[in-house]
Amino acid sequence: GLVLRPADRDQLIACLQHLWHGRLPWKVRGTGHSSGGQVLSDGGVILDVRGLDRVLHIDRSAREVTVEGGATWLSLVNQLAPQGLRPPVLTDNLRMTLAGTLSVGGIGDTSLSRGLQAGHVAQITLVTPDGSVHELTPDSDRFGYVLCGRGQLGIIAAVRLPLLERPSTIA
């Protein structure tokens, strides 16, 4: 019935608070790569998070990046490659969002040796259905439930990921 497209975290919070107080049913959509149409809604609200697509901070000395959850892996790779950096694990489909792949684990190019994408997250900014913001680290109670949690606890608004040096010979 309705599609909401927040352009930043404040708009995401406002959307969720409105939906929460109005008791409106909603589903989250990124690039629409769910396996069985889970992001479709009959008469409810679709919350399109592709507007949350910015790389917020690249810390080259700490080899970390903070990026919004609606960004695609392709966008992140394109911004990191000129600096000779990359995440430890890249999904096989770079056109999916970070939040989308992290919410289901994320298998990729180096998973055989490095594990899931979700295993490399240093921090999560989670916005819960009531619009509350939670900064989660691996020692937080909810951290492990958000990663691979299929979005059941809220929306991954941003993540902080470690980076690796990316040799120019890797394509």
Side-chain angles (χ1 to χ4, degrees), residues 88-136:
V89 181
L90 291 172
T91 184
D92 294 334
N93 182 348
L94 294 176
R95 287 174 171 76
M96 296 193 311
T97 63
L98 275 80
T101 57
L102 294 174
S103 70
V104 295
I107 296 173
D109 65 339
T110 57
S111 288
L112 183 62
S113 61
R114 296 188 179 273
L116 297 175
Q117 288 175 311
H120 296 278
V121 176
Q123 184 174 354
I124 301 167
T125 301
L126 176 72
V127 182
T128 54
D130 65 354
S132 300
V133 178
H134 305 270
E135 299 294 339
L136 306 175

Side-chain angles (χ1 to χ4, degrees), residues 61-75:
S61 63
R63 289 195 183 151
E64 291 184 328
V65 63
T66 303
V67 60
E68 291 179 316
T72 64
W73 289 95
L74 182 60
S75 171

Side-chain angles (χ1 to χ4, degrees), residues 1-19:
L2 180 66
V3 177
L4 299 176
R5 291 186 173 106
D8 59 32
R9 188 172 84 172
D10 289 339
Q11 287 184 7
L12 173 64
I13 292 166
C15 287
L16 286 171
Q17 288 173 340
H18 175 75
L19 296 169

Side-chain angles (χ1 to χ4, degrees), residues 28 34-36 38 99-100 102-105 145-154 156:
V28 179
S34 64
S35 60
Q38 295 93 330
L102 294 174
S103 70
V104 295
Y145 295 108
V146 173
L147 295 170
C148 308
R150 300 182 65 107
Q152 296 180 76
L153 297 180
I156 298 173

Side-chain angles (χ1 to χ4, degrees), residues 15-43:
C15 287
L16 286 171
Q17 288 173 340
H18 175 75
L19 296 169
W20 178 264
H21 293 297
R23 296 181 164 212
L24 298 168
W26 56 274
K27 294 192 178 186
V28 179
R29 181 179 174 99
T31 57
H33 284 90
S34 64
S35 60
Q38 295 93 330
V39 297
L40 302 176
S41 177
D42 186 14

